[in-house]
Amino acid sequence: MFKLEEIPIEVLLDNLLPLLPISDLLSLTTTNRFFATLCNDDTFWKRKIRNDFNFSDEDSARTSGWKFIYRGLVHPRTYVWGESSKGRLGMKRPPPSTIPDVPYPAELHFDENVSVVHLSAAGMAFFALDSKGNIYAWGTLNGTGFALQHDGYSAPAKTAHTPLKLAMPAATRAISCGRLHATSLDERLHIWTFLSFGRPFRLVTSLLDASTPDSTPVQVESGWSFSSVLTMAGDVFVWWPFSGEMEEMIDSHNTAMDEAGSRIFAIADRVVSCSHWELHKDPQRLPELPRLPKLVSGAEDIDVHLVKIAALENHLVGLTNHGHTLKISVQHGDRAGQERWEYLPHFSESEKIKQHLTAASSELKSLQDIRITHISAQYQTFVAYSPGSSSVVLMGSNGTDADSEPRILPALQNRNVISVVLGDYHFGALTSTGKLLTWGQYSRGALGLGDPTTIKAGQPGGYPTEQLRQAAANRGVLPPPVMEPTEVRFDHGEKRSKKRFCFAATSAGWHTGALVIDLESDVDNDEDLVQMPGGFPSSPGPSTSADIPHTPGFWGLPHAPMFRVGFAGRGALRGGFQGRGRGQ
C-alpha cells in the first residue's frame, strides 16, 4: 500500500506542504517523527513566510528560526524613536519626555488588520510594507522645502503626521529609501521612484523589462540622491532623479500636473490615491566587474557576479556570489561612465580578515574560513558581514579603497549578527536572538537607550559622572558617544518588564525604527499559528482571491523559474531522523 512518507521529500516540501492550511500542517507533525522533522524544515518556513506575509529576507543573514518569525508576524509591533521634527515618527503627539524628541522606542499603532513586515527610513520620513504588499508612509519626504496647508501630497515637502497608505497599482515587494526619495519594486517587477508621496513614477526602459535575466530586477537600492537596481544576471543600473535630463523631465511633468490643478489628498481611511505616471528613459549601466581572485575552493566553473548592492552618499558597494566586496563611485556629471569597480581585499579575503580580527583583539582568533555574505550602507558608512555564531562585522566608509583596512568593533564579533543598519552618525546591529544593539552619537535620541538626563551616570547613553549629568539637565549638553554596542529595550514606561524579540530594524538621518514580536504569549505552543487573521493563504478562516498575496515564480516574475535552495540533508531525514533541515 502506498504511504505518504514514500513520496520524495522534494515533492512534499516544494509542492504538497505549501498547499496545506496551518491546522493541517500542525496535525501532520503529530503523526510521526519523520513528519515532525519535515514540517519544521527552516527553508520551508522561510519560503512560506515570503509567500504568505510578503516578508523578504534580503536584508537579513538569518539562517534559522523562520517558523518562530512566521508566528510572530501575525501581530508584530512597530517602534520608532529619535528626532521628531517633520512628522518623521508618525505621531501627532509623541510620548512625554523631559527633553525634545523621543530617546527611546515608542510604539506606532496601525489598524488591527495591518501587519507591518518591513521598514525603511528616509532622511525625514519612514516607509513601511505590510503583509499584503501595501505601502505606508509618514514624515516629510523632502523637508528641505516647504508646503502650504492646502498643498496636497504631490508636494514633496508635504508632511504626513501619521501613517498614510499609498495606493499603488500592484503589491510592493521591496522598498529602499535615500535621503529625499524612495525606490520600490512591485510584484510585476516594475520599478517606481517616489519624490513625493502622491506622484510616484514608473521607470520604463527595455533595459529593465524582465524579458531576460539581464533585464530582470531583483533588488532596488536608493543612495543619498540616486537610485539603482541589480538584475538577475548581476548587472547594475543607476539613475539620478534630482539632476540632469531626468530632473528636467520630472519638473516638466509636475508643472503640467500643477497647471491642470491636480493635487493629491488623503481620502477616507487615510489612503492617498497616488497619481502614477511613466518616465521613459534608460538608466546608466555600470561597468562589468574586474578580474577577481579566487575566494571559494572548487568554484572555478561558477560564474562570478554581483548578488547584492548597497548605496552610500555617492558610491555603491557590491557583493559577489563568491564573497568579493567591491566599491564604485556613481557621481553624476562629466565622469559618468568612467568609473570602475574597485576590489576591496581587506573586506573579502578570509586570511586578511582573520589578521584584522586578531589585531583588533587577541580574543577574536578564528579557526574557520570567513565568507562575507551580506552588505549594507547609508550616507558615509558601509558594512560587510557574515552570519552565524562566528559572525564578523567589518565597517568601511566613502573613502575606503583597495588598501583600506576595516574598522572592527570587538563587541560585534561572534554575536550572531544578522543585520546592520546605519544612520548618519548612529548605528545598529540586530542579532539572531532578537537583540538590537546600538552605538554611535546620541543623534537626538536615535540610539534608543533612553533620556540621558535620567540614565545613571556611567551607563551607556548617559553622562560619565553625576556632576555632568546634573549640569547637562540645566544646560542641554549632549552626552558622549556610545562606543560599546548596547541593547535597546522595548518596554519603556510599562508597568512591568516585558520580553520582546526584534526581527527587523532600519535607520537613517537621526532616527531609527524596529519591528518587534511580543514574547509574553505562549510562544512554544504551535496552536497560536492557527489563529491567523483572515486573508492569508494558510489561514483556515475565510479569504478571497483579492486577499491572497500573488507571488508566482521569482518575486512575481511571470515567466522565470522559482529560485531553488539546495537541501543536502534531505536524504538524512529518513531512517533515524538525524539529518538537519535546510538553513540550519
Side-chain angles (χ1 to χ4, degrees):
M1 183 178 177
F2 181 79
K3 295 182 179 179
L4 186 60
E5 54 261 42
E6 293 177 355
I7 297 176
I9 292 175
E10 291 85 351
V11 175
L12 290 171
L13 285 173
D14 298 342
N15 302 104
L16 180 59
L17 296 187
L19 300 177
L20 297 180
I22 290 292
S23 55
D24 291 349
L25 274 174
L26 298 181
S27 297
L28 194 58
T29 63
T30 65
T31 57
N32 57 38
R33 293 181 61 192
F34 169 72
F35 281 115
T37 303
L38 194 67
C39 292
N40 281 289
D41 177 71
D42 251 315
T43 302
F44 165 74
W45 285 99
K46 180 179 179 179
R47 182 185 301 172
K48 191 167 183 60
I49 202 175
R50 176 181 295 179
N51 292 341
D52 291 7
F53 284 104
N54 188 40
F55 183 88
S56 172
D57 63 311
E58 296 300 318
D59 298 329
S60 171
R62 180 179 299 281
T63 58
S64 61
W66 292 108
K67 183 180 178 182
F68 168 77
I69 301 297
Y70 187 100
R71 178 192 296 114
L73 284 178
V74 177
H75 298 294
R77 294 174 178 263
T78 303
Y79 287 86
V80 291
W81 61 93
E83 184 177 358
S84 60
S85 69
K86 306 291 183 181
R88 75 190 72 196
L89 298 186
M91 303 173 185
K92 286 187 176 180
R93 297 180 180 83
S97 175
T98 59
I99 58 175
D101 307 308
V102 181
Y104 52 82
E107 187 170 7
L108 181 61
H109 296 281
F110 289 80
D111 291 342
E112 187 176 349
N113 62 342
V114 175
S115 293
V116 175
V117 297
H118 176 77
L119 287 178
S120 184
M124 288 157 272
F126 280 93
F127 283 77
L129 296 182
D130 73 4
S131 57
K132 297 179 181 179
N134 297 311
I135 298 179
Y136 294 81
W138 59 94
T140 310
L141 193 50
N142 190 340
T144 62
F146 66 92
L148 300 177
Q149 185 69 26
H150 64 271
D151 284 338
Y153 289 101
S154 53
K158 182 67 172 179
T159 298
H161 292 281
T162 57
L164 297 176
K165 180 179 176 180
L166 309 185
M168 297 294 289
T172 299
R173 294 299 179 224
I175 192 163
S176 172
C177 294
R179 180 171 179 251
L180 308 176
H181 75 296
T183 314
S184 71
L185 180 66
D186 70 19
E187 67 175 358
R188 299 172 184 169
L189 298 185
H190 292 166
I191 298 168
W192 298 86
T193 303
F194 292 80
L195 304 185
S196 68
F197 293 148
R199 287 181 185 167
F201 68 82
R202 177 191 163 203
L203 183 65
V204 180
T205 168
S206 61
L207 298 176
L208 297 169
D209 61 5
S211 61
T212 66
D214 290 346
S215 64
T216 300
V218 294
Q219 182 191 352
V220 290
E221 182 75 5
S222 296
W224 194 253
S225 58
F226 66 89
S227 294
S228 59
V229 61
L230 173 69
T231 71
M232 186 181 293
D235 292 325
V236 180
F237 295 88
V238 181
W239 60 100
W240 291 264
F242 298 104
S243 58
E245 182 183 359
M246 180 170 284
E247 181 186 31
E248 294 176 1
M249 296 170 69
I250 294 169
D251 288 346
S252 176
H253 178 86
N254 284 333
T255 298
M257 292 195 71
D258 290 342
E259 291 176 349
S262 173
R263 288 195 180 101
I264 312 300
F265 295 95
I267 57 176
D269 298 325
R270 299 197 57 76
V271 176
V272 176
S273 296
C274 297
S275 179
H276 318 105
W277 61 285
E278 295 181 349
L279 190 151
H280 294 254
K281 181 172 175 55
D282 290 342
Q284 177 185 322
R285 186 198 300 266
L286 295 187
E288 296 181 354
L289 298 180
R291 186 177 180 85
L292 296 169
K294 173 184 172 183
L295 294 182
V296 181
S297 177
E300 295 85 352
D301 297 332
I302 301 177
D303 176 48
V304 178
H305 61 275
L306 291 174
V307 292
K308 294 181 186 298
I309 55 175
L312 295 113
E313 181 179 18
N314 49 25
H315 289 80
L316 272 173
V317 179
L319 180 68
T320 74
N321 53 330
H322 288 210
H324 304 91
T325 304
L326 303 99
K327 183 167 165 281
I328 188 171
S329 171
V330 292
Q331 296 186 55
H332 189 253
D334 296 337
R335 291 193 59 198
Q338 301 179 25
E339 302 86 353
R340 294 293 180 264
W341 287 100
E342 184 176 20
Y343 172 56
L344 306 179
H346 297 279
F347 290 79
S348 308
E349 298 175 15
S350 180
E351 291 305 316
K352 285 184 170 62
I353 294 173
K354 289 180 183 180
Q355 294 172 11
H356 298 318
L357 291 173
T358 303
S361 173
S362 59
E363 299 179 357
L364 295 179
K365 295 180 180 179
S366 178
L367 300 178
Q368 65 181 38
D369 287 338
I370 297 170
R371 181 179 178 185
I372 299 302
T373 59
H374 285 74
I375 53 176
S376 59
Q378 206 270 141
Y379 189 33
Q380 296 182 343
T381 306
F382 76 89
V383 177
Y385 56 103
S386 66
S389 58
S390 299
S391 62
V392 299
V393 178
L394 313 175
M395 300 185 68
S397 71
N398 252 345
T400 296
D401 58 25
D403 297 323
S404 301
E405 297 182 0
R407 179 189 174 200
I408 294 175
L409 295 180
L412 285 181
Q413 316 309 316
N414 304 326
R415 290 290 298 269
N416 272 297
V417 171
I418 62 169
S419 178
V420 182
V421 296
L422 310 164
D424 286 359
Y425 308 106
H426 70 284
F427 317 101
L430 182 62
T431 72
S432 63
T433 56
K435 298 182 184 299
L436 179 61
L437 313 172
T438 62
W439 72 99
Q441 294 188 16
Y442 174 68
S443 295
R444 303 282 290 269
L447 294 177
L449 301 178
D451 182 345
T453 64
T454 62
I455 296 175
K456 184 178 179 181
Q459 296 297 310
Y463 296 89
T465 67
E466 180 62 22
Q467 183 179 9
L468 286 175
R469 187 189 71 80
Q470 294 182 3
N474 297 324
R475 298 199 298 265
V477 179
L478 295 178
V482 173
M483 308 305 295
E484 190 82 358
T486 302
E487 182 180 354
V488 175
R489 296 187 59 88
F490 293 94
D491 56 358
H492 183 87
E494 300 192 25
K495 294 182 179 179
R496 63 184 182 90
S497 176
K498 291 187 177 181
K499 295 181 180 180
R500 294 195 168 110
F501 183 101
C502 180
F503 66 89
T506 184
S507 281
W510 291 8
H511 48 279
T512 306
L515 300 178
V516 175
I517 296 171
D518 199 331
L519 298 182
E520 292 298 297
S521 61
D522 183 8
V523 297
D524 294 324
N525 182 4
D526 279 345
E527 292 304 321
D528 61 355
L529 283 174
V530 180
Q531 306 302 317
M532 298 280 290
F536 298 107
S538 37
S539 169
S543 64
T544 66
S545 59
D547 292 323
I548 299 176
H550 177 57
T551 317
F554 186 91
W555 275 23
L557 178 60
H559 305 295
M562 170 67 77
F563 177 76
R564 295 284 289 106
V565 180
F567 181 27
R570 280 176 169 172
L573 280 171
R574 304 192 190 276
F577 313 105
Q578 299 301 313
R580 300 178 66 187
R582 295 174 295 176
Q584 294 184 348

